[in-house]
Amino acid sequence: MLNKLSSIVAASALLGSAYAKVKYAGVNIAGFDFGCGTDGTCNTASVTPPLSFYGGGDGQGQMNHFVKDDGLNIFRLPVGWQWLTNNTLGGPLNPNNFGEYNTLVQICLNTGASCIVDIHNYARWNGGIIGQGGPTDEQFASVWSQLANVYQGQSKVIFGIMNEPHDLNVSRWGQSVQVAVNAIRATGAKNLITLPGTNYASAQNFVSSGSAAALAPITNPDGTKTNLVFDVHKYLDIDGSGTHTNCVTNNIASTFEPLAQYLNSVGRMAILSETGGGPNDTSCLTDLCQELQYIDQNANVFLGWVGWAAGSFDTSYTITETPFESNGKFTDQPLVTKCIVGEFK
């Protein structure tokens, strides 16, 4: 009887995994990050808020379309640190600048989707690395404490600690992230927090770069790791930069199989918060769909994906996911229809 029961339980587990789906799929809504470079400089004059009434793209219409017409349920909302504090390191959230960004967050929330608040500074401020000669851990924690105080009551707001750290001491970076997590939790916020590693948050090098070893020990103040997930990026072009229209790999054998094995071994989860390719390229229409299908099949360790990018990007941008709009009607890019949306349905 025991053996029979065990067989039933095992079979149920297999069936569950076969039909499991990722929790999230969506698109980055860019614009508040425009002007930010990989050295952590952010020219606030280049910001193009992805809201038509602020002179940018129609992020509101795009998000409503993605949710209502496509069934997507998450948006990542990148913003420069300098924009948030009006170029004052360690300063308060600027009422005007943050007010505009918060308008985007509230519009996102009003769609019913989850919304990632993403500081898009590459673990830097004007060339200086956080905790490594640049901003102090306390200055970094300050901006996150302020953001957490604003959004702690919104369970659908996700805190994306930092976009694409790179070329730093990753062990020391882990310490900076821990300070930020502590500051967020000190406000009472229980929101999901995403933790990025080095090499531009590389999914492929997450273990070999030392990112896994640096981030895995991070805990909430009570010692738990609840609502702490790893944040990874991976593109499919020849150099993995996301700057070419054609794709050369589906990233499964090189990246997501070994990453899934690692996540399974430690009982943790990750979210792919940037990926994408040429919107009409036949290689990308094949490779990206295969990549996302694999992630969907491993929903026990992957929360989902967020494609790059729509918002204030033009429909002609190299890897655009901005839908075409005519008389209030939106038509998706082929890559979005087939892969970003298609693999989620």
Side-chain angles (χ1 to χ4, degrees):
M1 180 65 180
L2 183 59
N3 288 338
K4 183 177 181 181
L5 181 60
S6 299
S7 298
I8 292 172
V9 171
S12 298
L14 286 171
L15 284 171
S17 63
Y19 291 98
K21 292 188 68 67
V22 292
K23 183 175 182 178
Y24 297 118
V27 177
N28 280 265
I29 306 296
F32 278 108
D33 57 310
F34 284 12
C36 289
T38 59
D39 62 352
T41 58
C42 290
N43 179 5
T44 55
S46 297
V47 166
T48 308
L51 293 168
S52 55
F53 48 84
Y54 289 144
D58 186 10
Q60 181 171 15
Q62 293 170 21
M63 288 189 286
N64 283 328
H65 157 69
F66 285 137
V67 171
K68 294 177 181 178
D69 299 334
D70 292 338
L72 299 181
N73 64 355
I74 192 169
F75 301 106
R76 183 168 175 257
L77 312 175
V79 62
W81 188 355
Q82 287 90 334
W83 178 264
L84 292 173
T85 64
N86 198 28
N87 291 302
T88 303
L89 179 61
L93 297 175
N94 179 265
N96 292 328
N97 290 3
F98 176 67
E100 290 188 9
Y101 179 72
N102 184 50
T103 298
L104 180 67
V105 176
Q106 298 305 321
I107 287 172
C108 176
L109 289 170
N110 287 340
T111 68
S114 292
C115 311
I116 303 175
V117 173
D118 158 56
I119 296 183
H120 214 76
N121 277 69
Y122 304 88
R124 288 160 167 78
W125 174 289
N126 294 348
I129 302 172
I130 297 167
Q132 300 178 42
T136 65
D137 290 346
E138 291 71 27
Q139 289 170 325
F140 181 45
S142 172
V143 70
W144 272 116
S145 178
Q146 294 177 70
L147 289 167
N149 270 310
V150 173
Y151 296 121
Q152 62 170 302
Q154 297 282 357
S155 62
K156 288 192 173 184
V157 170
I158 297 169
F159 298 141
I161 285 285
M162 180 57 62
N163 177 69
E164 295 191 345
H166 65 92
D167 297 289
L168 44 65
N169 181 320
V170 71
S171 296
R172 182 63 184 83
W173 168 242
Q175 296 174 31
S176 298
V177 174
Q178 180 68 76
V179 173
V181 168
N182 291 345
I184 290 169
R185 296 299 187 227
T187 69
K190 298 179 180 179
N191 306 56
L192 187 71
I193 303 174
T194 67
L195 315 175
T198 190
N199 287 11
Y200 298 91
S202 171
Q204 184 170 358
N205 305 124
F206 187 74
V207 176
S208 62
S209 68
S211 296
L215 299 176
I218 293 172
T219 65
N220 297 308
D222 63 3
T224 67
K225 297 180 180 179
T226 304
N227 276 350
L228 300 177
V229 304
F230 302 131
D231 186 359
V232 297
H233 292 179
K234 194 71 179 86
Y235 288 97
L236 303 90
D237 51 351
I238 191 166
D239 57 1
S241 65
T243 59
H244 305 88
T245 56
N246 62 310
C247 297
V248 299
T249 176
N250 62 20
N251 289 321
I252 295 174
S254 64
T255 300
F256 291 107
E257 280 184 350
L259 181 56
Q261 290 170 5
Y262 166 75
L263 294 169
N264 273 304
S265 73
V266 296
R268 300 295 296 273
M269 298 194 75
I271 185 167
L272 177 62
S273 66
E274 281 192 29
T275 193
N280 303 288
D281 185 80
T282 55
S283 61
C284 293
L285 289 167
T286 298
D287 288 340
L288 183 63
C289 283
Q290 290 175 352
E291 174 189 278
L292 300 184
Q293 183 180 63
Y294 180 84
I295 289 172
D296 198 37
Q297 291 168 347
N298 289 270
N300 64 311
V301 292
F302 293 116
L303 277 174
W305 57 79
V306 191
W308 184 270
S312 287
F313 279 119
D314 191 77
T315 54
S316 62
Y317 168 55
T318 304
I319 57 170
T320 190
E321 295 186 2
T322 300
F324 298 97
E325 180 180 3
S326 178
N327 298 320
K329 179 178 174 58
F330 291 87
T331 303
D332 286 323
Q333 300 287 345
L335 193 75
V336 172
T337 298
K338 186 176 180 184
C339 303
I340 299 294
V341 174
E343 293 300 335
F344 188 58
K345 287 185 173 180

